[in-house]
Amino acid sequence: MFIYNTLNAVFDAIVRNGAQSGMNELEFLEEELKRWWDGKQRKDMITGLAYYSDRQDIEQKSRRAIGPNGNPVDVHNLPNFKIMDNQYGILVDQKNNYLLGRPVEIKTEGKDDGYTKALDEIFTDDYWETMQATGENSINCGVAWQFVYVGADGKLRVKMLRGDRVLPFWADEEHKTLDAALYVYPITVYRGRTPETVYKAEYYMKNGIQYYVYDNQRLIPDSEKTDATYLTVDGKPMNWREVPLVAFKRNRHEQPLICKVKCLQDALNQLTSWFADTTSEDIRNTVLVLYNYDGENLGEFRRNLMTYGAVKIRRDDGQNGGVEALHVEVNPENFQLIQNLLKRAIIENGRGFDSKDERFTSGPANQMNIQAAYSDIDLDANQMETQFKVSLRRLMGFVDTYLAAKGIKATSKVEFVFNRNMLTNEAETIANCRNSVGILSDETIISNHPWTTDTAKELERVQKERAEAMEGMDQFPKGE
């Protein structure tokens, strides 16, 4: 059973360890939250979310030169493009839609006795939309969370919680058993007519939820909410046997994708912005050299070169003053070469898919070429699929408990099949399916056909059509 009475709850190991160190439970939570809030793990999560949302370091770019005292100073009268070529965002969308672009198929064994129908009512389009959001956040943060609860209408619901807002307390080093978790999230309140951001905190334990306000690195009990259990059954407060939070990890290391490509993304933005700055500075393509119009120290020289595109030097050959032009050529081909190398490096280090791969642009691609081009993104998808299947099985523990409370017993094993969104040579795949008739089962052939969206329903249609065809044949008179 996943539900037990709140009166029989026990303190988790994390809280006991905190008590042994001389701190009470609340002080322990405050110290852990403070350390995690400003720690590198959460900063990486925030960076991933920011870069995906087009908020990148290039926004802080400025044009600088060496000042008279040798220190860098900002130069404000120069073009200062801040161009963002968000290849990281493309990479995240690629990975998420490759694995979760199509709804995950739920397979059950045996005949439908109400259990399969009950699962369909829980795993609706709304849930798969939540799953897509979970996948996106898992890639950006390394881990995302799903919170299981029963709504006011009595239906089981799942809510996605961002990875940068959940501080988990694991019972084991492998991060498989969750003891408790703190969920910290911002809300906007008004002080008179002035909006203000306040951070609320919910402490999820095995024996219920405690509500706090996180202010000035302190957890203060929330006066607007009362500590509660997760469920109410027949008017009695009850809890799940486990903390109703399920972690969906990008890989077992829980590493955000941005850690692999941030330096490359920054270099691409800097290069593109620098090229735009250079090509837009018409006067900078020609540097004016003024002879015998006073000299200048090195600081002034560097600043004037950046600001005015001119330098002054003194000649000792007795000639009169004059002006000469020094032309500076910008080679666009060099820029394009480095830009392509950076984009390629982002795809390779991020294990993405290059839609401009020569295997697609040079002519019709066979299935082997397609699979080779998808090999890198498949490596990442394999890890993510493995982690997500484990998480979905844990989620099924709560689902089966909820259905059991409604009198619906789990009658078969549930399998989750991820339908990857890969380009295919449909003609070749269909021919392979046709050639497999008599060798493989109808279910296997139908599930691998490129036009199949639901294997069970398609198999049911095929069996129905065959039965109708047999009935039609029985109507013909038999030969003597």
Side-chain angles (χ1 to χ4, degrees), residues 4 22 124 145-146 161 164 170 178 203 212 236 271 274 278 292 301 310 333 339 353-354 364 417 419 425 446 457 470:
Y4 74 141
T124 61
W145 300 82
Q146 289 188 358
L161 305 183
D164 64 312
W170 296 100
L178 187 67
Y203 184 37
Y212 298 94
K236 297 180 180 179
L271 176 70
W274 168 84
T278 304
N292 293 336
F301 172 82
E333 293 182 0
Q339 184 188 50
F353 166 71
D354 185 5
V417 179
N419 299 306
N425 186 324
I446 289 173
K457 290 182 179 179
M470 292 298 295

Side-chain angles (χ1 to χ4, degrees), residues 207-264:
N207 60 331
I209 311 175
Q210 293 178 355
Y211 298 97
Y212 298 94
V213 175
Y214 187 51
D215 183 32
N216 197 24
Q217 298 184 339
R218 298 289 304 276
L219 287 171
I220 304 168
D222 191 347
S223 60
E224 298 179 353
K225 292 185 178 181
T226 304
D227 296 347
T229 58
Y230 295 108
L231 304 167
T232 301
V233 179
D234 296 330
K236 297 180 180 179
M238 304 288 285
N239 283 307
W240 303 101
R241 188 173 181 83
E242 303 292 336
V243 179
L245 271 179
V246 181
F248 284 77
K249 306 173 185 178
R250 187 178 82 86
N251 54 37
R252 65 186 181 88
H253 302 291
E254 302 174 24
Q255 183 189 46
L257 178 63
I258 191 63
C259 296
K260 292 183 175 293
V261 298
K262 181 179 183 297
C263 59
L264 295 169

Side-chain angles (χ1 to χ4, degrees), residues 185-407:
Y185 59 96
I187 64 170
T188 301
V189 298
Y190 279 85
R191 309 294 184 190
R193 291 180 175 271
T194 304
E196 181 179 326
T197 299
V198 174
Y199 285 91
K200 298 276 189 172
E202 297 177 3
Y203 184 37
Y204 300 127
M205 305 172 293
K206 294 180 180 179
N207 60 331
I209 311 175
Q210 293 178 355
Y211 298 97
Y212 298 94
V213 175
Y214 187 51
D215 183 32
N216 197 24
Q217 298 184 339
R218 298 289 304 276
L219 287 171
I220 304 168
D222 191 347
S223 60
E224 298 179 353
K225 292 185 178 181
T226 304
D227 296 347
T229 58
Y230 295 108
L231 304 167
T232 301
V233 179
D234 296 330
K236 297 180 180 179
M238 304 288 285
N239 283 307
W240 303 101
R241 188 173 181 83
E242 303 292 336
V243 179
L245 271 179
V246 181
F248 284 77
K249 306 173 185 178
R250 187 178 82 86
N251 54 37
R252 65 186 181 88
H253 302 291
E254 302 174 24
Q255 183 189 46
L257 178 63
I258 191 63
C259 296
K260 292 183 175 293
V261 298
K262 181 179 183 297
C263 59
L264 295 169
Q265 178 65 64
D266 288 340
L268 178 62
N269 291 341
Q270 287 283 356
L271 176 70
T272 308
S273 301
W274 168 84
F275 185 76
D277 289 343
T278 304
T279 54
S280 64
E281 293 175 20
D282 293 336
I283 193 171
R284 301 303 177 271
N285 294 334
T286 301
V287 178
L288 301 179
V289 183
L290 283 68
Y291 293 104
N292 293 336
Y293 284 94
D294 297 326
E296 53 189 350
N297 60 41
L298 289 178
E300 291 175 342
F301 172 82
R302 292 289 299 272
R303 185 183 61 196
N304 289 338
L305 182 62
M306 288 285 294
T307 307
Y308 304 110
V311 294
K312 298 187 294 183
I313 65 175
R314 182 184 297 278
R315 276 183 170 177
D316 296 327
D317 53 7
Q319 295 186 10
N320 296 328
V323 178
E324 291 183 3
L326 176 63
H327 296 283
V328 180
E329 298 293 338
V330 178
N331 190 344
E333 293 182 0
N334 291 340
F335 158 75
Q336 188 173 12
L337 175 63
I338 301 175
Q339 184 188 50
N340 290 338
L341 288 174
L342 286 171
K343 288 186 177 182
R344 185 64 189 174
I346 291 173
I347 293 172
E348 290 181 353
N349 285 268
R351 290 181 178 175
F353 166 71
D354 185 5
S355 59
K356 299 179 179 62
D357 192 294
E358 61 182 7
R359 283 169 286 197
F360 301 115
T361 57
S362 60
N366 58 36
Q367 198 61 33
M368 290 296 293
N369 283 342
I370 293 174
Q371 290 176 349
Y374 275 89
S375 60
D376 283 345
I377 197 171
D378 255 333
L379 289 174
D380 242 18
N382 290 338
Q383 295 184 71
M384 192 168 171
E385 180 178 332
T386 299
Q387 295 295 330
F388 274 40
K389 280 185 175 180
V390 171
S391 300
L392 285 169
R393 283 196 292 271
R394 289 175 181 160
L395 182 66
M396 281 302 302
F398 298 100
V399 172
D400 287 342
T401 300
Y402 166 78
L403 293 178
K406 295 176 70 66

